[in-house]
Amino acid sequence: MDFGWTDTQRALRERTRDRVRTSLAGEPGPFDRARWRLLGELGALGLPVAREHGGQGLGALDTAAVYEVLGEECADTGLVFAAAAHLFACVVPIAEFGDDAVRKQLLPGLCAGELIAANAMTETEAGSDVSAIEAVATEVPGGFVLNGHKSFASNGPVADVSVTYAVTDPAAGPFGLTAFAVDTASEGVRLGEPFDKLGMRGCVAGTVTFADCFVPMERVLGEPGQGAAIFQHSMGWERACLFALYLGVQDRLLKQCVTHARTRRQFGRPIGEFQAVSHRIAEMKLRLEAARLLVYRTCWAMDEDEPAGLHAALSKLAASEAALASATDAIRLLGGQGYLTGSGAEAAVRDALGGILFSGTTDVQRMLIATELGL
């Protein structure tokens, strides 16, 4: 086992750190395409995509390394999450399952930040249970006609492309779902207004509705009926790499709390000398390092083409729960300062709450782990 970064990986992380500090520093704000294009210039929107299509051709571990730095250095966690959702749930499926024409047409713009992608899977009655999807796509000459309502799509209100899943063969069960890359400017597509959310405010989300929307056959990803497999493949990437950004957030909070514990004085001495404070910080460090090893282990398995389902569920569960626990601990340690807007800690709590929900809830991850163990 090698627990160190290579010189190439170390240089990639430091180059990312320098560029984020230069171009994406500052407090979180409303979504804007100028900052999105900066992510494209940084390369964050196409890391695992082949260079010929505008990406960097990186593996899962290198991709996670970049997102960990983004999570630490960019205070706008919602924006980083929006980039990750765009990349792992949309760009990766297009890159790996789209035909040559679709890849050439969409990937350069998606990687450069000229286009924004949304993943339109979730419906009112179909979240964790993808078999309950009600959106339908009826085959017609030259393509499909798509009808349905998606209730929650990250990047939905600003998306140019929607990776959408619909039933094409109701009798085929899990093999009757098909994936499409739909231009949101197409007739019959309606993007809802942004939701007012608790956290991740830099990532706008909303509904996507399809009403007799014609989708050309070339916009089918993979083959008709492969939608469930394509979705699970994209979730593998998302559960492995997206949660590296939460490692970065935890690292930022840990450093902030250590500094505070060294400089804040009560009862005539630094509060870090009190066991109640120092032990809480020790727990934050333990959570971070344990989650980090699980995330890296998952990405390593993906790069080695080894089965990664169990590792991905474990790492997603650990990283998301650790982020929430440590963000709450940061509030306790920083006291009134942490409770204030702009401290970083209060936003981290709000943003961490989303992590236990998306990409499969904490309870779904436990279910997946139990299934992998044969239960």
Side-chain angles (χ1 to χ4, degrees):
M1 298 182 184
D2 184 352
F3 289 94
W5 295 112
T6 65
D7 289 342
T8 300
Q9 289 169 327
R10 192 174 295 108
L12 173 65
R13 285 168 60 87
E14 291 310 308
R15 186 166 62 250
T16 301
R17 191 181 307 279
D18 291 342
R19 295 185 66 183
V20 172
R21 287 176 175 176
T22 300
S23 60
L24 288 172
E27 291 301 313
F31 178 86
D32 74 86
R33 284 185 177 257
R35 285 169 65 81
W36 186 263
R37 285 191 290 272
L38 288 173
L39 285 166
E41 293 173 9
L42 187 67
L45 302 177
L47 293 164
V49 176
R51 290 184 179 276
E52 64 186 283
H53 295 306
Q56 297 192 42
L58 300 181
L61 185 56
D62 290 346
T63 298
V66 171
Y67 269 85
E68 183 176 359
V69 174
L70 284 169
E72 180 182 354
E73 297 294 341
C74 181
D76 194 344
T77 302
L79 178 66
V80 180
F81 171 79
H86 161 99
L87 175 57
F88 303 125
C90 304
V91 176
V92 165
I94 293 171
E96 298 196 14
F97 298 98
D99 64 22
D100 288 340
V102 169
R103 289 199 293 264
K104 290 177 181 177
Q105 183 181 26
L106 294 180
L107 288 177
L110 291 169
C111 293
E114 297 168 3
L115 300 175
I116 302 173
N119 177 29
M121 165 62 91
T122 302
E123 299 181 2
T124 304
E125 299 299 327
S128 299
D129 182 10
V130 298
S131 66
I133 282 180
E134 296 180 349
V136 296
T138 305
E139 188 168 1
V140 297
F144 288 83
V145 172
L146 179 61
N147 284 280
H149 178 75
K150 301 298 181 174
S151 60
F152 197 107
S154 295
N155 298 332
V158 294
D160 303 292
V161 179
S162 172
V163 172
T164 302
Y165 298 84
V167 176
T168 51
D169 185 354
F175 301 103
L177 199 65
T178 299
F180 304 88
V182 183
D183 289 334
T184 60
S186 301
E187 185 177 354
V189 180
R190 181 166 59 83
L191 304 178
E193 293 297 315
F195 294 141
D196 186 10
K197 308 193 308 303
L198 171 67
M200 295 290 184
R201 293 173 181 171
C203 173
V204 290
T207 62
V208 182
T209 303
F210 304 94
D212 293 332
C213 172
F214 176 73
V215 185
M217 188 64 73
E218 59 267 22
R219 287 302 186 92
V220 172
L221 300 180
E223 298 292 333
Q226 287 186 328
I230 292 171
F231 178 70
Q232 291 304 325
H233 180 80
S234 71
M235 284 299 98
W237 272 92
E238 186 166 291
R239 289 168 183 159
C241 296
L242 184 152
F243 288 87
L245 77 87
Y246 279 112
L247 302 179
V249 173
Q250 289 179 71
D251 215 341
R252 168 162 37 94
L253 290 175
L254 178 63
K255 291 172 181 175
Q256 182 180 1
C257 288
V258 168
T259 298
H260 182 76
R262 287 173 173 168
T263 56
R264 170 69 167 165
R265 297 180 67 87
Q266 290 288 280
F267 305 103
R269 53 181 171 152
I271 63 172
E273 293 184 6
F274 294 100
Q275 190 177 76
V277 173
S278 61
H279 283 194
R280 195 178 298 279
I281 291 176
E283 287 297 319
M284 293 174 69
K285 178 65 171 176
L286 174 62
R287 292 188 203 106
L288 169 59
E289 294 300 337
R292 179 178 274 147
L293 288 173
L294 285 167
V295 169
Y296 291 176
R297 175 69 175 84
T298 302
C299 294
W300 178 87
M302 290 180 63
D303 287 339
E304 295 295 317
D305 291 325
E306 290 191 358
L310 174 60
H311 301 304
L314 287 166
S315 62
K316 193 276 181 186
L317 174 60
S320 60
E321 290 290 343
L324 180 56
S326 290
T328 305
D329 274 347
I331 294 283
R332 296 176 188 270
L333 286 159
L334 297 170
Q337 175 185 323
Y339 195 67
L340 297 176
T341 300
S343 69
E346 59 83 27
V349 173
R350 291 188 285 102
D351 294 341
L353 283 165
I356 65 174
L357 301 177
F358 57 73
S359 304
T361 66
T362 287
D363 293 322
V364 166
Q365 302 311 312
R366 291 193 175 103
M367 181 181 70
L368 293 173
I369 292 165
T371 301
E372 290 282 351
L373 295 175
L375 302 178

